[in-house]
Amino acid sequence: MYVILIYDISMIELRQGAKVSRNVFKICKKYLTHIQKSVFEGELTPAKLQKLRNELAQYLREDLDSVVIFKSKQKKGLDKEFWAADESEKTSNFF
Amino acid sequence: MESYFLFSSGELRRKDNVVRMTALDGRFKVLKIEVMRDLYLFGKASMNTDCLNYLAQSKIPVHFFNHYGFYTGTFYPKEANVSGNLLIRQVEHYTDFEKRLNIAQEFIQGACYNILKNLKYYRQRGKELDKAINEIQALEKMISRTVTIEELMGIEGNIHRVYYGTWTTIINQEVDFEKRVKRPPDNVVNTLISFLNSLVYTTCLSEIYVSQLNPTISYLHSAGERRFSLSLDIAEIFKPLLTDRIIFSLLNRKVITEKDFSKDSNYFYLKDKGKRKVLEMYNSTLDETVRHKDLKRNVSYRKMMRLECYKLIKHLLGEREYQALRKWW
């Protein structure tokens, strides 16, 4: 399934927040493509998504942080447009 | 699962628990380790053991290609799915001549069927191919009557000779292609065949890696040393479906023209841009799906390679006789 993940990490407790933010970022990178500051996208199986969720759960603070997941059964049903710079290179597997 | 194709030159390193390729100009690409199936390196990349260890730990084979786009080898991580039982069966079927010939014949039968399917498709589109089809059909009948592997290989050679003879008819672009020449390929079509075939081999190898089969024991090709010949066997079935069809559409749609090649010291080889076009087409073809009758769901070409491995395993274990893939769509 096609997934878009966005997150907000609270920086109220600066020290703690920085630590969470750093780890969440590193974990998401393993599964999804980093496209904007706190936005990731990519194709995942339900099992991989669950694995990602478990990994993130170690760090996320229930009362402060939030992670939003948009799921689509297929990438086909999802139109993607670039309104300024075209950054389609980012999700390409060719480099 | 995804494959990565790296053309840029630079450095591969482990960073933040992902592998990162940094090009010489500082741009980088993060390779998502959790969803990466395999890695294809076409540029000049340097890496350290840290990175290789991490790739091995994540069970990701790395395929290397040289400057000319020829396959040079694979970094094959420690076998994760081993089965002593299956290995014994695999060897048993190799040493028992009768059993070996049976499997080898089935590979050729499948390949031949798929070749005919290609030809019939182009006949339907108004190409004059009746003579070649008849010839190949005659040869097809001889496959089951062969008694040695050499004889079988001979018939396979004849089928391919007739088949390649039709290519100038099938391809709309002006190409001088008469026969298959390897090491080094001497014209546009031969170069494309060499390049795409090596890709098919590597994809098969990646799929064999996931199955329990041992890639060094093969049936049609002699189980040589220092090479994974089982992937050559399985690739035989897929070459007409992938290599040949991709070449036809690349040339007929004029995606690739003579301009994408350079001729250096008698070599014909693909320029980077050409390689990339071929690879993009190859990668998207692998992900194309068709409805599978028995499984009752859509399977991609890549998945079909895996299924081919599973069918072979079933045959080796004596559960179900092996039937090579015959294009049913």
Side-chain angles (χ1 to χ4, degrees):
Chain A
M1 84 185 105
Y2 208 73
V3 173
I4 298 169
L5 180 151
I6 53 182
Y7 64 74
D8 244 344
I9 305 299
S10 164
M11 289 291 168
I12 294 173
E13 297 161 66
L14 197 59
R15 262 267 180 75
Q16 264 272 307
K19 187 183 165 201
V20 173
S21 167
R22 186 165 70 231
N23 285 307
V24 167
F25 181 66
K26 283 183 187 177
I27 292 168
C28 289
K29 271 207 292 193
K30 295 198 286 183
Y31 296 84
L32 299 161
T33 311
H34 182 222
I35 43 170
Q36 282 183 1
K37 284 242 167 75
S38 54
V39 183
F40 289 80
E41 70 169 79
E43 185 83 36
L44 285 183
T45 60
K48 286 276 180 204
L49 187 65
Q50 184 60 45
K51 208 175 158 206
L52 170 61
R53 185 177 181 168
N54 294 346
E55 270 194 71
L56 287 178
Q58 294 173 28
Y59 295 99
L60 295 172
R61 298 158 296 176
E62 293 267 319
D63 47 338
L64 293 171
D65 309 323
S66 91
V67 175
V68 185
I69 303 266
F70 294 96
K71 293 190 274 190
S72 164
K73 279 236 169 66
Q74 270 186 329
K75 196 183 172 187
K76 274 180 197 162
L78 211 62
D79 279 343
K80 187 173 167 185
E81 279 174 30
F82 295 96
W83 282 8
D86 182 354
E87 303 212 291
S88 46
E89 267 297 299
K90 281 190 176 164
T91 47
S92 158
N93 283 359
F94 292 79
F95 180 65
Chain B
M1 298 298 264
E2 295 165 23
S3 302
Y4 280 94
F5 302 88
L6 303 181
F7 291 90
S8 315
S9 297
E11 203 181 20
L12 268 176
R13 268 184 177 278
R14 173 179 180 171
K15 187 178 187 299
D16 294 350
N17 272 341
V18 289
V19 175
R20 173 191 276 198
M21 168 92 179
T22 313
L24 298 172
D25 55 8
R27 293 179 311 128
F28 61 85
K29 182 111 205 155
V30 171
L31 310 178
K32 300 175 273 180
I33 198 92
E34 290 280 349
V35 292
M36 177 157 45
R37 177 193 301 108
D38 48 13
L39 184 55
Y40 292 77
L41 292 182
F42 292 91
K44 294 175 183 58
S46 56
M47 64 182 87
N48 52 9
T49 41
D50 238 12
C51 172
L52 280 175
N53 282 336
Y54 192 47
L55 285 165
Q57 186 193 328
S58 319
K59 304 190 187 77
I60 295 166
V62 187
H63 306 297
F64 297 93
F65 294 81
N66 70 10
H67 177 65
Y68 298 101
F70 294 137
Y71 174 62
T72 45
T74 299
F75 169 66
Y76 199 71
K78 181 172 74 84
E79 285 271 10
N81 302 322
V82 285
S83 156
N85 190 19
L86 182 67
L87 179 65
I88 293 168
R89 296 299 175 88
Q90 240 186 302
V91 176
E92 235 171 51
H93 279 75
Y94 182 79
T95 46
D96 185 324
F97 186 74
E98 199 95 317
K99 285 180 180 167
R100 181 182 165 195
L101 189 65
N102 262 336
I103 300 176
Q105 280 174 342
E106 189 51 36
F107 283 135
I108 299 287
Q109 293 275 17
C112 187
Y113 184 91
N114 294 333
I115 283 176
L116 281 168
K117 200 90 181 181
N118 272 351
L119 288 176
K120 283 173 186 163
Y121 172 76
Y122 280 97
R123 178 173 67 181
Q124 203 190 341
R125 299 192 123 197
K127 304 269 185 192
E128 189 48 60
L129 295 167
D130 284 325
K131 193 167 154 270
I133 290 176
N134 288 337
E135 269 179 69
I136 292 179
Q137 273 168 342
L139 287 165
E140 191 184 21
K141 293 201 185 79
M142 289 159 70
I143 295 172
S144 55
R145 281 189 243 131
T146 49
V147 283
T148 62
I149 296 282
E150 288 72 31
E151 202 186 339
L152 183 65
M153 289 288 244
I155 289 179
E156 190 244 311
N158 285 337
I159 291 174
H160 270 104
R161 213 193 48 239
V162 179
Y163 181 45
Y164 287 138
T166 62
W167 280 32
T168 37
T169 324
I170 294 175
I171 297 166
N172 294 331
Q173 257 189 75
E174 196 61 44
V175 286
D176 61 330
F177 176 66
E178 271 155 21
K179 59 180 198 308
R180 179 88 177 96
V181 178
K182 297 178 210 169
R183 299 188 213 105
D186 67 343
N187 63 41
V188 171
V189 178
N190 273 320
T191 307
L192 283 174
I193 299 180
S194 292
F195 184 55
L196 277 160
N197 276 352
S198 61
L199 291 175
V200 179
Y201 296 148
T202 51
T203 316
C204 281
L205 188 58
S206 291
E207 294 304 323
I208 292 173
Y209 179 70
V210 186
S211 78
Q212 282 113 321
L213 289 168
N214 183 307
T216 55
I217 299 168
S218 56
Y219 300 97
L220 175 61
H221 296 80
S222 51
E225 277 167 33
R226 294 181 293 273
R227 60 178 196 161
F228 296 133
S229 40
L230 185 61
S231 64
L232 304 182
D233 279 8
I234 293 177
E236 206 63 46
I237 306 163
F238 286 93
K239 281 192 286 194
L241 300 180
L242 296 167
T243 305
D244 305 351
R245 278 182 57 230
I246 290 172
I247 292 176
F248 297 152
S249 59
L250 280 174
L251 292 175
N252 283 350
R253 286 186 211 157
K254 299 212 166 45
V255 179
I256 289 264
T257 55
E258 194 113 2
K259 280 186 211 133
D260 292 299
F261 296 83
S262 69
K263 195 170 160 54
D264 257 19
S265 59
N266 296 329
Y267 273 112
F268 246 86
Y269 69 89
L270 275 160
K271 291 180 192 160
D272 266 357
K273 220 173 165 192
K275 261 185 237 165
R276 210 174 149 151
K277 279 193 246 177
V278 176
L279 272 168
E280 268 162 22
M281 179 94 168
Y282 178 70
N283 199 37
S284 62
T285 311
L286 277 181
D287 289 335
E288 267 173 34
T289 57
V290 282
R291 183 95 185 154
H292 195 287
K293 282 178 295 189
D294 298 341
L295 298 179
K296 296 201 170 42
R297 63 183 164 86
N298 291 336
V299 287
S300 64
Y301 281 96
R302 201 196 298 271
K303 192 64 184 240
M304 278 186 244
M305 285 184 185
R306 178 95 57 88
L307 293 177
E308 218 52 29
C309 296
Y310 292 155
K311 280 195 282 181
L312 195 59
I313 292 176
K314 287 224 159 182
H315 178 88
L316 297 172
L317 297 177
E319 282 175 33
R320 190 175 176 189
E321 196 158 340
Y322 176 62
Q323 261 241 317
L325 171 79
R326 286 168 174 76
K327 193 181 178 188
W328 66 80
W329 58 99

